[in-house]
Amino acid sequence: MKNPEYLAHLIVEFYEKLSSWEHAVVKGKGLTLPQMHALELLGVHGPLRMKELADRMGVTTGTLTALADRLESKSLIRRAPNKEDRRSYLVELTDKGRERFLEHDKLHVQITREITAGLSPEETELFSAALSKMNGAF
Amino acid sequence: MKNPEYLAHLIVEFYEKLSSWEHAVVKGKGLTLPQMHALELLGVHGPLRMKELADRMGVTTGTLTALADRLESKSLIRRAPNKEDRRSYLVELTDKGRERFLEHDKLHVQITREITAGLSPEETELFSAALSKMNGAF
DNA sequence: CCCATTTACCTTGACAATCAAATTATCATC
DNA sequence: GATGATAATTTGATTGTCAAGGTAAATGGG
């Protein structure tokens, strides 16, 4: 019953459901998935250089340039000069961008509550511990 | 320590890592992520109507029409007539498409093995059970 | 200090993904 | 059979994406 094929299937299903949930949530907000993803990474990690953000998103800097332009034109991010290295910017959230990030992050907590509602505290604890280990194994 | 915020954070991190892994794996194969996603859904669920597949992918049928055209031109899928309803097709994998799907699916099993390598059998079992419950709760 | 190399970002050109809205063909119901 | 709903396509516009090429700044070895 607990062969890797079965577990792989569960993980794929979980991934698909998260993906579809995220898609639906972002859609109603005037933002695209990549745009929200960028806000999220900036919210979690603080200001990043374009290259760092592009790497974390898994896109080229060319792609990110265009994406950042759109977010900047919506006043959600800002390119601040980087004193350490004048070739680069530090991309950071504006107040409006941070607001959007926090709002979205709240939804993550909420969906987490919902999908773990059927788990006992011990189960939740063990799930959490296992997930933590797995995240470290990538 | 085990508040929902923390768990939400772990889940987001897990999702991001899966996403980034998937992206990297698909890239080297001449397929895009949505294209592989379509092959995967067809592989798992069998032949689907365009509308069904679009719904599962979370895109409009207009988007899927174009996507299916590209997959069809690569001989990975086929539009078969639907005797039940002549308005629709049944989209199905070709042999070549099934091959691609199976090959990709094997990678899922493999990455699953890798990221669960640090878990004890009991932990894996519990993780699996928790995930199964959570999938049902979406 | 100089020059070659690397790095960071931007630009361009081409293609893919995406949606909303309009269209066509078929189905379903009354 | 007429009317309304559904399945797929088409169209037009925007966004996402990459590879390749360009510019400016940093880096490192002579």
Side-chain angles (χ1 to χ4, degrees):
Chain A
M1 163 81 84
K2 289 313 167 295
N3 45 42
E5 284 79 13
Y6 177 69
L7 183 49
H9 166 255
L10 286 179
I11 291 176
V12 168
E13 187 181 350
F14 186 60
Y15 174 77
E16 300 256 328
K17 291 188 171 185
L18 286 177
S19 172
S20 146
W21 175 86
E22 182 84 7
H23 194 265
V25 162
V26 169
K27 195 131 75 172
K29 308 278 175 174
L31 288 181
T32 65
L33 228 41
Q35 286 170 6
M36 182 54 88
H37 192 189
L39 295 189
E40 189 151 332
L41 288 169
L42 292 173
V44 169
H45 295 105
L48 295 172
R49 290 183 303 106
M50 292 288 281
K51 180 74 169 92
E52 289 172 336
L53 181 51
D55 285 348
R56 285 187 193 274
M57 293 185 68
V59 302
T60 63
T61 58
T63 296
L64 185 57
T65 294
L67 187 83
D69 286 348
R70 286 177 211 112
L71 287 173
E72 203 165 27
S73 81
K74 290 177 181 170
S75 303
L76 295 172
I77 65 166
R78 169 193 314 130
R79 284 165 163 107
N82 182 0
K83 294 172 192 57
E84 318 279 308
D85 184 342
R86 277 177 307 172
R87 289 172 303 180
S88 63
Y89 299 115
L90 284 180
V91 184
E92 57 187 21
L93 294 176
T94 62
D95 288 350
K96 191 173 161 193
R98 174 156 301 276
E99 212 173 281
R100 287 294 195 99
F101 159 66
L102 290 173
E103 186 185 318
H104 185 68
D105 208 49
K106 249 186 247 174
L107 295 179
H108 281 166
V109 176
Q110 186 183 327
I111 185 72
T112 298
R113 264 189 235 277
E114 286 173 22
I115 64 184
T116 57
L119 271 52
S120 70
E122 299 76 33
E123 257 179 324
T124 306
E125 176 77 21
L126 283 162
F127 178 77
S128 185
L131 204 55
S132 180
K133 279 192 197 173
M134 288 171 70
N135 279 340
F138 266 100
Chain B
M1 163 81 83
K2 289 312 168 296
N3 46 41
E5 284 78 12
Y6 177 69
L7 183 49
H9 166 255
L10 284 180
I11 292 176
V12 168
E13 187 181 350
F14 186 59
Y15 175 77
E16 300 256 328
K17 290 188 171 184
L18 286 177
S19 173
S20 147
W21 174 87
E22 183 84 6
H23 193 267
V25 161
V26 169
K27 196 131 74 171
K29 308 278 177 173
L31 289 179
T32 65
L33 226 42
Q35 286 169 7
M36 182 53 89
H37 191 190
L39 296 188
E40 189 151 331
L41 288 169
L42 291 173
V44 169
H45 296 104
L48 296 171
R49 290 182 302 108
M50 292 290 280
K51 179 76 169 90
E52 290 171 337
L53 181 51
D55 286 348
R56 286 186 193 274
M57 293 185 68
V59 300
T60 63
T61 57
T63 296
L64 184 57
T65 294
L67 187 81
D69 287 348
R70 287 179 209 111
L71 287 174
E72 203 165 27
S73 81
K74 290 178 181 171
S75 302
L76 295 172
I77 65 167
R78 170 191 314 128
R79 284 166 164 106
N82 181 0
K83 295 170 191 58
E84 318 279 309
D85 184 343
R86 278 177 308 173
R87 289 172 303 181
S88 62
Y89 299 117
L90 285 179
V91 183
E92 58 188 20
L93 293 176
T94 62
D95 288 349
K96 191 173 162 192
R98 174 155 302 275
E99 212 173 280
R100 286 296 193 98
F101 159 66
L102 290 172
E103 185 184 320
H104 185 68
D105 209 49
K106 248 185 247 173
L107 295 179
H108 282 166
V109 176
Q110 187 182 327
I111 186 72
T112 298
R113 264 189 235 277
E114 286 173 21
I115 63 183
T116 58
L119 271 52
S120 70
E122 300 75 33
E123 257 178 325
T124 305
E125 176 78 23
L126 283 161
F127 179 77
S128 185
L131 204 54
S132 180
K133 280 191 197 174
M134 289 171 70
N135 279 341
F138 265 101

